[in-house]
């Protein structure tokens, strides 16, 4: 093996050997992106139906009966989590594609993951608070 | 790929946007990405809107409510719903590609146009239903 001047020889033999092979990660994200996408197809149709009904509510009891239904509650939590997680995975791909500086990429990924998780939890809290309010009003 | 420093001798890249005419494949692909980002931002905003609604005991602050039901909010909502339908239909097209079906050129073009048409039709019908019900509630009793 040729040995260039010492200052240029950063790729030591050990480093080269350690970097061999695949990244050994990423298959999980790829699969989850497809699985969440598949789950989101029926969930989106449900979401649109309920959103339209809520949008067109003319009275408060109407709104309550839509929100208080246990199926709607569970599906709301399921939908929020799945949609935001799918979006998080997608944003990860976009950031990895377009942000080239290593530090900026790491920071952007952490920010996106953090904001998404925060919003998912906020969505949970919102539906719980909604139920507490409804039970108080009933 | 993860270089922080600028390369000492920047190498020339082959041209891309300057030589290719926009085609159904490329336009739909980048639109899928753009709608994805728009949907993500909109989903965050919508979730936060629901949070504020829950905390104000479903009696929303007038300024905030007007923001969402005013003309600006309506336009954004229609745009978000178009992005939703488009991204979903193109996503289904992507899922078919993932199992290996639909790569033939003719199929790709046809399904591409079908996705655009489907997204426009679904958005138009959803908002027409909303508009119809808003003005004539008795027309669609199953919606209430």
């Amino acid at each position: 093996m040729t040995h260039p001047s010492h200052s240029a020889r950063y790729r030591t033999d050990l480093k080269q050997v350690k970097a061999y092979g695949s990244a050994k990660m990423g298959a999980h994200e790829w699969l989850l992106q497809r699985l969440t996408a598949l789950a989101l197809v029926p969930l989106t149709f449900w979401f649109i139906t309920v959103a339209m009904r809520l949008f067109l509510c003319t009275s408060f009891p109407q709104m309550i009966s839509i929100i208080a239904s246990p199926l709607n509650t569970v599906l709301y939590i399921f939908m929020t989590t799945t949609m935001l997680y799918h979006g998080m995975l997608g944003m990860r791909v976009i950031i990895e594609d377009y942000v080239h500086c290593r530090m900026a990429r790491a920071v952007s990924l952490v920010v996106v993951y953090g904001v998404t998780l925060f919003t998912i939890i906020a969505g949970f809290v919102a539906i719980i608070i909604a139920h507490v309010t409804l039970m108080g009003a009933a | 790929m993860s270089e922080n420093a600028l390369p000492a001798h920047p190498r020339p890249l082959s041209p891309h946007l300057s030589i290719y005419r926009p085609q159904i494949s490329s336009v739909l692909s980048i639109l899928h990405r753009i709608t994805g980002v728009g949907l993500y931002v909109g989903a965050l905003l919508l979730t936060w809107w629901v949070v504020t609604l829950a905390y104000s005991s479903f009696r929303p602050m007038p300024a905030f409510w007007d923001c969402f039901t005013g003309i600006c909010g309506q336009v954004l909502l229609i745009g978000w719903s178009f992005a939703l339908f488009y991204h979903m239909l193109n996503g289904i097209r992507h899922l078919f590609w993932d199992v290996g079906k639909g790569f033939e050129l003719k199929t790709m073009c046809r399904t591409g146009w079908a996705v655009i048409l489907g997204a426009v039709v679904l958005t138009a019908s959803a908002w027409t239903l909303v508009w119809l019900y808003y003005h004539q509630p008795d027309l669609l009793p199953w919606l209430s």
Side-chain angles (χ1 to χ4, degrees):
Chain A
M1 161 175 279
T2 56
H3 289 259
S5 65
H6 180 74
S7 59
R9 201 178 168 232
Y10 293 115
R11 192 191 288 174
T12 61
D13 292 330
L14 180 64
K15 262 193 192 167
Q16 181 152 345
V17 166
K18 274 171 134 180
Y20 271 156
S22 69
K24 299 177 189 64
M25 64 149 293
H28 185 70
E29 280 78 13
W30 183 91
L31 188 62
L32 268 182
Q33 200 180 42
R34 270 66 183 170
L35 285 176
T36 48
L38 211 52
L40 275 170
V41 174
L43 273 176
T44 306
F45 279 113
W46 166 85
F47 169 76
I48 302 226
T49 315
V50 168
M52 272 166 50
R53 288 168 68 196
L54 280 176
F55 199 62
L56 296 164
C57 265
T58 42
S59 61
F60 196 50
Q62 236 181 348
M63 224 187 232
I64 292 183
S65 67
I66 296 177
I67 296 173
S69 137
L71 179 71
N72 280 345
T73 309
V74 170
L75 284 179
Y76 167 83
I77 297 179
F78 197 22
M79 172 80 182
T80 312
T81 314
T82 312
M83 176 154 78
L84 286 174
Y85 190 72
H86 181 85
M88 190 165 84
L89 290 175
M91 288 306 291
R92 180 197 172 114
V93 172
I94 290 175
I95 289 172
E96 284 174 349
D97 270 354
Y98 295 134
V99 181
H100 300 296
C101 166
R102 205 161 46 191
M103 181 61 108
R105 192 167 57 220
V107 167
S108 324
L109 280 174
V110 168
V111 165
V112 165
Y113 267 63
V115 165
T116 312
L117 283 172
F118 194 61
T119 311
I120 291 177
I121 294 172
F124 265 68
V125 168
I127 201 74
I128 293 175
I129 294 290
H131 273 259
V132 166
T133 315
L134 292 176
M135 266 171 244
Chain B
M1 244 178 285
S2 47
E3 295 298 340
N4 282 350
L6 287 171
H9 301 283
R11 302 210 171 115
L13 293 171
S14 35
H16 41 90
L17 288 174
S18 46
I19 58 168
Y20 284 107
R21 196 193 312 155
Q23 302 169 32
I24 194 80
S25 49
S26 54
V27 169
L28 259 57
S29 176
I30 192 65
L31 199 58
H32 191 77
R33 186 166 270 206
I34 293 172
T35 49
V37 176
L39 282 172
Y40 174 71
V41 173
L44 286 177
L45 290 174
L46 280 174
T47 311
W48 281 105
W49 180 73
V50 170
V51 169
T52 55
L53 210 60
Y55 269 100
S56 60
S57 311
F58 301 100
R59 274 172 284 279
M61 302 151 261
F64 205 57
W65 186 256
D66 291 336
C67 201
F68 273 93
T69 54
I71 189 72
C72 174
Q74 292 291 297
V75 167
L76 284 176
L77 216 55
I78 296 176
W80 191 83
S81 57
F82 173 75
L84 188 67
F85 286 121
Y86 171 81
H87 194 89
M88 176 172 69
L89 291 177
N90 206 22
I92 296 174
R93 193 164 158 247
H94 262 92
L95 287 174
F96 272 103
W97 289 341
D98 282 334
V99 295
K101 297 196 190 309
F103 278 112
E104 303 79 25
L105 194 59
K106 262 196 178 153
T107 314
M108 190 270 301
C109 290
R110 285 196 192 131
T111 50
W113 283 111
V115 160
I116 298 179
L117 190 68
V120 169
V121 163
L122 280 174
T123 314
S125 28
W127 284 100
T128 310
L129 271 177
V130 166
W131 181 86
L132 259 179
Y133 187 79
Y134 194 70
H135 291 268
Q136 298 259 324
D138 337 298
L139 258 171
L140 305 155
W142 54 266
L143 199 57
S144 55

